[in-house]
Amino acid sequence: MARTIGIIGIGHVGVTTAFNLVSKGVADKLVLIDKKAELAEGESFDLKDALGGLPTYTDIVVNDYDALKDADVVFSRSAILALFQMVIELEKPRLQK
């Protein structure tokens, strides 16, 4: 069975995660999703270039939400941001003292 991993949000953290997954051969299929389609496409080109020097192969798919339906893991930058905002809200009373 193919190991499929999705990343939603291809900023600094998303692209670093993608690079590490590809370079270590962790995923058979990597799905990159970003609201800026050209950013996701550009990062996919960089990752595909890196594949030439690796002993493993990762199929890289861009902005295809259907490809996430079989994903084993999906990383979402928005979930991390929501958690961060929640912590800030919880800590506001203490920080305002």
Side-chain angles (χ1 to χ4, degrees):
M1 180 184 283
R3 299 166 296 171
T4 301
I5 298 177
I7 301 176
I8 301 174
I10 311 300
H12 294 296
V13 173
V15 77
T16 301
T17 303
F19 175 78
N20 282 298
L21 292 171
V22 169
S23 65
K24 295 185 183 351
V26 174
D28 298 310
K29 182 177 186 180
L30 182 62
V31 182
L32 303 177
I33 301 211
D34 198 277
K35 62 184 174 184
K36 297 178 185 173
E38 62 281 353
L39 174 65
E41 190 71 33
E43 293 299 344
S44 77
F45 292 147
D46 290 343
L47 292 169
K48 288 173 184 176
D49 282 344
L51 286 171
L54 298 174
T56 60
Y57 178 77
T58 303
D59 182 26
I60 300 172
V61 179
V62 178
N63 278 353
D64 182 0
Y65 282 93
D66 278 346
L68 293 176
K69 69 182 175 188
D70 296 323
D72 299 298
V73 176
V74 176
F75 295 95
S76 173
R77 173 223 163 276
S78 58
I80 295 168
L81 181 59
L83 178 63
F84 181 69
Q85 289 172 332
M86 184 177 71
V87 169
I88 288 174
E89 286 300 314
L90 290 171
E91 291 294 320
K92 256 186 190 174
R94 187 180 66 82
L95 295 172
Q96 292 174 346
K97 290 182 182 179

